[in-house]
């Protein structure tokens, strides 16, 4: 059972199954004016419903009279098979079917011999992402925490997070030991390419505000690129002032190394531990300590797995 209540509905995606690109659950709309090729992606993780709610809303609008003005807009429901496997009684299991879809995005993995249901879908979607200029990848978090933008480790990623202007917290990080994320795939992660990507964690997976947060991020992303009518987007976004954003730079990724891993106490998302050297976990025979003062605990995983990220430790810039 979930430790967190499920406060959001899971929309039926049947209407979007056929797509209009030859790939199931992938839609593409072209504007009348030239502009960048944008992509909004949902369901990289199958139980992170917020992006599906946002894309469902966007597609309903685009089928109900709203049109893309500038550039091209592609909408991807990524790991739909995992989403369809969602079971309220074991809601964590539908994150993925065989493996994490968001650790596959290097050429060596995509071109490799290995296969899984996630790799089949990633290979199917790869050509889409190869043609995208700017990506918004909508996610949510295991534990309650304020929304956070994952800008990657390039200046352009940070610039996109600043241009979208929401949420308050921006994480500067280079990902996970276990494999490359979609947001870092190919030219998205290449500092010399103008292409860019932004991953936004919109809140706890099933908390009430997670869907409106995802929509808010999406409308802001589309407004930044003038993809849809500005006045219409202004009304949706409302007159909230752009928050003062802060940058958190990852100073250490704690990867679980042994089966004998235990937190010394539960950590809250974005909590700050004042003193350097504070023991936060024991991994085998080793203590895991905070590397500096005012260490920010980014997305701690209560029950991590060997080889996977347990927590990212950050420092405010
Ligand atoms: Zn996710």
């Amino acid at each position: 059972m979930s430790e967190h209540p499920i406060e959001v509905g899971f929309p039926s995606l049947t209407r979007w199954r056929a797509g209009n690109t030859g790939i199931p659950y992938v839609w593409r709309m072209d504007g009348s004016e030239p502009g960048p090729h944008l992509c909004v992606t949902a369901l990289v993780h199958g139980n992170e419903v917020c992006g599906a709610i946002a894309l469902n809303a966007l597609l309903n609008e685009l089928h109900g009279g709203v049109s893309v003005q500038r550039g091209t807009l592609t909408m991807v429901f990524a790991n739909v098979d995992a989403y369809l496997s969602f079971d309220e009684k074991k809601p964590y299991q539908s994150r993925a079917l065989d493996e994490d879809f968001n650790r596959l995005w290097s050429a060596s993995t995509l071109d490799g011999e290995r296969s899984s249901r996630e790799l089949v879908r990633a290979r199917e979607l790869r050509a889409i992402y190869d043609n995208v200029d700017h990506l918004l990848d909508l996610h949510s978090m295991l534990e309650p925490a304020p929304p956070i933008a994952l800008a990657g480790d390039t200046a352009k990623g940070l610039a996109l997070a600043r241009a979208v202007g929401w949420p308050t917290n921006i994480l500067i990080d280079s990902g996970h030991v276990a494999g490359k994320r979609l947001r870092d795939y190919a030219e998205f992660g290449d500092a010399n390419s103008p292409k860019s990507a932004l991953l936004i964690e919109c809140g706890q997976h099933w908390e009430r505000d997670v869907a409106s947060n995802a929509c808010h991020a999406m409308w802001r992303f589309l407004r930044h690129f003038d993809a849809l009518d500005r006045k219409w987007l202004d009304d949706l976004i409302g007159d909230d002032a752009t928050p003062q954003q802060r940058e958190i730079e990852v100073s250490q990724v704690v990867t679980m190394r042994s089966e004998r891993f235990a937190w010394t106490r539960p950590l809250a998302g974005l909590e700050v531990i004042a003193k350097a050297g504070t023991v936060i976990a024991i991994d085998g025979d080793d203590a895991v300590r905070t590397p500096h003062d005012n260490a920010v605990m980014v997305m701690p995983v209560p029950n991590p797995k060997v080889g996977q990220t347990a927590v990212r430790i950050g420092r405010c810039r």
Side-chain angles (χ1 to χ4, degrees):
M1 281 301 284
S2 170
E3 299 145 41
H4 302 293
I6 296 173
E7 299 174 337
V8 288
F10 282 56
S12 165
L13 303 182
T14 310
R15 187 178 175 200
W16 314 124
R17 186 180 194 288
N20 66 352
T21 59
I23 301 174
Y25 298 103
V26 179
W27 289 81
R28 175 187 162 133
M29 308 283 182
D30 292 301
S32 48
E33 297 164 39
H37 185 169
L38 308 179
C39 178
V40 181
T41 287
L43 298 181
V44 157
H45 295 130
N47 59 1
E48 299 182 0
V49 65
C50 65
I53 294 171
L55 272 194
N56 186 51
L58 176 58
L59 279 163
N60 276 322
E61 295 289 357
L62 292 170
H63 285 77
V66 172
S67 53
V68 175
Q69 291 200 332
R70 179 171 171 262
T72 294
L73 175 57
T74 293
M75 292 149 281
V76 178
F77 298 96
N79 199 351
V80 180
D81 288 342
Y83 177 71
L84 294 176
S85 76
F86 184 81
D87 179 347
E88 241 174 64
K89 293 192 192 72
K90 34 184 184 175
Y92 301 102
Q93 284 187 18
S94 53
R95 176 179 173 85
L97 296 171
D98 299 327
E99 62 178 322
D100 191 332
F101 184 89
N102 213 22
R103 302 289 181 270
L104 308 176
W105 293 92
S106 60
S108 59
T109 302
L110 292 165
D111 291 331
E113 298 284 298
R114 203 166 66 69
S115 195
S116 68
R117 284 174 284 183
E118 274 74 18
L119 263 168
V120 168
R121 182 63 171 162
R123 286 167 180 149
E124 185 174 51
L125 295 175
R126 184 181 187 179
I128 300 282
Y129 294 116
D130 282 333
N131 283 303
V132 165
D133 295 313
H134 304 289
L135 168 72
L136 175 66
D137 187 10
L138 294 168
H139 286 249
S140 56
M141 296 177 275
L142 196 55
E143 294 294 307
I148 185 164
L150 273 53
D153 58 1
T154 59
K156 65 186 185 178
L158 179 57
L160 181 57
R162 290 244 171 232
V164 170
W166 185 94
T168 301
N169 294 291
I170 302 172
L171 187 72
I172 297 161
D173 78 322
S174 51
H176 305 274
V177 172
K180 203 174 242 198
R181 301 172 298 190
L182 175 60
R183 65 134 290 108
D184 304 313
Y185 169 60
E187 287 188 65
F188 296 142
D190 176 354
N192 297 314
S193 162
K195 296 187 174 191
S196 64
L198 186 63
L199 186 167
I200 298 187
E201 304 278 2
C202 298
Q204 202 281 333
H205 296 328
W206 315 299
E207 73 176 66
R208 195 178 310 275
D209 289 341
V210 76
S212 57
N213 286 344
C215 289
H216 190 76
M218 179 178 71
W219 303 134
R220 279 178 171 267
F221 174 80
L222 296 173
R223 181 171 69 175
H224 169 61
F225 291 107
D226 279 326
L228 306 180
D229 181 75
R230 177 162 283 261
K231 171 80 179 64
W232 186 79
L233 285 172
D234 283 345
D235 288 345
L236 282 171
I237 292 164
D239 60 357
D240 69 324
T242 297
Q244 178 73 42
Q245 291 176 295
R246 66 165 183 171
E247 296 158 20
I248 303 164
E249 193 165 11
V250 170
S251 50
Q252 189 182 331
V253 178
V254 176
T255 302
M256 181 174 158
R257 291 196 312 224
S258 79
E259 291 292 352
R260 291 182 299 129
F261 181 100
W263 298 108
T264 51
R265 66 169 173 83
L267 296 172
L270 294 183
E271 94 168 76
V272 178
I273 295 181
K275 272 181 69 75
T278 303
V279 177
I280 57 171
I282 304 295
D283 193 355
D285 296 326
D286 301 320
V288 178
R289 295 172 189 275
T290 53
H292 49 76
D293 284 350
N294 298 319
V296 186
M297 301 295 113
V298 180
M299 281 180 276
V301 179
N303 300 299
K305 296 190 176 81
V306 172
Q308 294 183 357
T309 302
V311 67
R312 281 165 278 189
I313 298 174
R315 168 191 274 141
C316 286
R317 269 191 182 172

